[in-house]
Amino acid sequence: MRMPVCQGVHQGLTRTFHSFDKEGDHTATMLITNICSLPYQEVIDKSLLGELFHPKQFGDQVSTRYSIAHARVAAGQATLPHTLLRSSEVYYILQGEAMMHIGNETEPVSAGQLVYIPPGEVQFIENIGDCELIFLAIVDPAWRAEDEILGQPVSSSEDHDPFMTEAIREAKLGLSEGGIPIGSVLVRNGEIIGRGHNRRVQEGDPMIHAEIDCLQSAGRIGSYKDCTLYSTLMPCHLCAGAVVQFQIPEVVVGESVTFEGAAVFMRSHGVRVVDLNHQDCISLMNQFIKENPQLWNEDIGTL
């Protein structure tokens, strides 16, 4: 038996059908969206976007990771360069001709072609045809506003912050000792007053995360209210707890692409969290995780 039920996310656009067995137990859900009546809005990259499917719309009715949007770019226009930090994206071209730009690569694409865009790569698409460019944008994991930035992550060739450079130096020191490459420095009034790196492996101590090592190195300094903590990676909940406990007002991180960490927790306690999306930090952790998956899983508690 099938029972249609209206779904009110886009009123009148999406219908939900539930299937039941002979005992009345729910067996399956079908969702149908009417693309012809989809509302569109201009988004951060200046394309017109209509959200076709996002798991957040349907709660526990679906268990997918991906989201799908219907995108449009007028003839002669281009989207702004932008980057999805953690999610990969696939464009499926439905109509038109375009020039696809990903990183330093540029290729023509047209209707019927599919383009894969890896996470962390700056991208934009340019409509070079005479008609409107229309394509599907499939994002996995599902699109989130905090995952998208205009432009690109900080390039490894740009030294934007000398304190992050010192944190990276600590991370590389830890790696040279056979440890996990995460580094941290504590800054007060423009001077580094503490530094450290992850030494869990070197010391056989599960508590010596980079930020903890850094705070221990600084010693007892009284109030932390005029300090900034730098870390090459978004702090975990252990280190974020120390930030909140000592009322450190600002944390600057190299990246959260490889590990999402406890940014939400810190911000919920009034901490200003600045994510630099630094390519050196991303590359350093990506390489380490690829070569040491078991050690990394141990460090983040997912063994």
Side-chain angles (χ1 to χ4, degrees), residues 42 49 68 85 91 99 110 117 128 132 134 142 153-154 167 209 240 243 258 284 286 291:
E42 186 176 277
L49 207 69
I68 306 174
L85 301 173
Y91 285 176
M99 195 66 70
S110 57
I117 306 155
I128 60 173
E132 188 175 44
I134 301 176
V154 176
H209 289 211
V243 168
T258 60
L284 189 63
N286 270 333
E291 295 175 355

Side-chain angles (χ1 to χ4, degrees), residues 56-83:
K56 71 180 182 183
Q57 296 173 340
F58 305 103
D60 59 4
Q61 293 184 72
V62 298
S63 57
T64 57
R65 285 168 35 108
Y66 59 84
S67 60
I68 306 174
H70 192 257
R72 298 158 50 190
V73 179
Q77 300 298 309
T79 61
L80 294 178
H82 60 286
T83 304

Side-chain angles (χ1 to χ4, degrees), residues 145-206:
E146 60 267 28
D147 189 43
E148 183 170 7
I149 62 170
L150 285 178
Q152 61 185 348
V154 176
S155 166
S156 59
S157 64
E158 296 175 295
D159 187 8
H160 281 268
D161 194 320
F163 300 125
M164 184 54 65
T165 298
E166 289 302 309
I168 293 171
R169 194 188 309 277
E170 285 290 328
K172 291 180 177 178
L173 176 59
L175 183 64
S176 72
E177 297 170 351
I180 299 167
I182 306 170
S184 180
V185 296
L186 185 66
V187 176
R188 171 187 273 172
N189 297 325
E191 294 185 4
I192 294 174
I193 61 172
R195 60 173 62 234
H197 51 270
N198 189 303
R199 295 192 293 120
R200 296 178 70 256
V201 176
Q202 299 91 310
E203 302 297 328
D205 185 340

Side-chain angles (χ1 to χ4, degrees), residues 184 186 193-196 209-221 224 229 239 242-243 246 248:
S184 180
L186 185 66
I193 61 172
R195 60 173 62 234
H209 289 211
E211 298 88 343
I212 301 300
D213 191 40
C214 173
L215 293 173
Q216 289 178 332
S217 143
R220 295 177 60 194
I221 64 170
Y224 292 81
L229 182 67
C239 300
V243 168
F246 296 127
I248 299 173

